[in-house]
Amino acid sequence: MTNITTACKRVAVEDISCRFHLTQAWYKKIQSLGLTSAYKDNKWLKFTYGLTFLDPDEVSDCFVDDFISEIPDDPKYREYADYLVDNYIRENANFPPNTWAAFAADLTRTTNNCEYFHSHFTEQFYKSHPNIFTFIEILIKTVQTDVYIKINSCIKNIPNPRKNAQVKARLKKTLEAIYNYKNEKLTRYEFVQIVAFNYNKD
């Protein structure tokens, strides 16, 4: 039983170390607490996503010093905060910061190619539930075209650096924030607020 438990936990850690899975888990908790509407209007919830871009050693101090001091006076927010602390922030949490936090600009930190595809595919849509015609149009015009380009690039040994313009802009903004934070032009909390919007779930 111990071996099974250890194996399951190892798989879970691999999943949660992927920023995509991590932010999905946090957002599901927000939804389960009935805070979906509040998430759209209240920046405190959104800012928690910025913790993923901190050095693991800074996560706990940032959450206690910066987030808890500004937490809205609502039991649902406190329950969300407790969820983060118990599962992700404490040293003895199931998924401590050293398994998911990284002071790096990588926006597509995923554990496998399927998740990499999924994270980029969803960026093509402006709604979480697009109609079937929009879905097919994106599938044909974007995905199929990308596949053809990649296949031809592989055959001809040509690198394909093309990236979504939105991703490039987010990456540039994150790199600037990292530079400014390193050079003490931003406070820790200001840095977290800027990079948090890389994982906006609106």
Side-chain angles (χ1 to χ4, degrees):
M1 183 63 75
T2 304
N3 290 338
I4 294 174
T5 304
T6 303
C8 289
K9 188 171 181 180
R10 187 180 298 117
V11 170
V13 168
E14 287 174 357
D15 269 358
I16 217 67
S17 66
C18 160
R19 282 185 174 142
F20 172 80
H21 280 118
L22 179 73
T23 56
Q24 285 293 101
W26 291 7
Y27 189 62
K28 284 179 182 176
K29 183 62 178 181
I30 288 170
Q31 289 176 312
S32 72
L33 292 171
L35 290 171
T36 308
S37 296
Y39 174 85
K40 295 176 181 178
D41 303 319
N42 189 295
K43 292 182 178 179
W44 188 90
L45 290 169
K46 293 179 181 180
F47 289 160
T48 59
Y49 288 77
L51 292 169
T52 64
F53 288 89
L54 283 175
D55 186 275
D57 293 334
E58 291 187 281
V59 171
S60 181
D61 287 344
C62 179
F63 194 74
V64 172
D65 298 339
D66 302 326
F67 281 88
I68 297 302
S69 63
E70 293 191 1
I71 189 170
D73 186 18
D74 185 318
K76 290 182 179 179
Y77 284 84
R78 288 193 290 275
E79 187 174 343
Y80 176 65
D82 289 341
Y83 162 78
L84 293 182
V85 170
D86 293 342
N87 292 285
Y88 302 99
I89 295 177
R90 289 188 318 189
E91 286 185 13
N92 61 342
N94 288 329
F95 312 106
N98 64 355
T99 64
W100 53 265
F103 188 52
D106 185 6
L107 306 180
T108 55
R109 194 172 144 213
T110 58
T111 52
N112 59 53
N113 290 329
C114 292
E115 293 303 342
Y116 179 83
F117 170 81
H118 184 266
S119 66
H120 283 278
F121 185 55
T122 54
E123 287 175 355
Q124 307 300 319
F125 300 97
Y126 295 102
K127 296 181 179 179
S128 56
H129 301 288
N131 65 54
I132 188 65
F133 301 107
T134 302
F135 181 85
I136 292 173
E137 184 179 2
I138 293 293
L139 199 60
I140 293 172
K141 288 186 176 180
T142 304
V143 178
Q144 189 173 13
T145 301
D146 283 349
V147 170
Y148 284 150
I149 290 172
K150 287 175 183 177
I151 290 172
N152 286 328
S153 296
C154 290
I155 292 171
K156 298 176 182 178
N157 199 24
I158 300 171
N160 178 26
R162 187 168 68 88
K163 285 188 177 181
N164 183 288
Q166 186 181 14
V167 173
K168 281 186 176 181
R170 285 162 50 196
L171 181 60
K172 181 182 178 183
K173 187 175 182 180
T174 303
L175 287 169
E176 287 175 354
I178 287 174
Y179 175 82
N180 289 330
Y181 182 48
K182 278 183 177 178
N183 289 279
E184 299 182 350
K185 295 180 180 179
L186 291 173
T187 66
R188 180 178 59 199
Y189 196 37
E190 287 171 339
F191 168 73
V192 167
Q193 291 174 17
I194 291 171
V195 296
F197 287 92
N198 283 313
Y199 287 92
N200 200 340
K201 300 293 180 183
D202 285 355

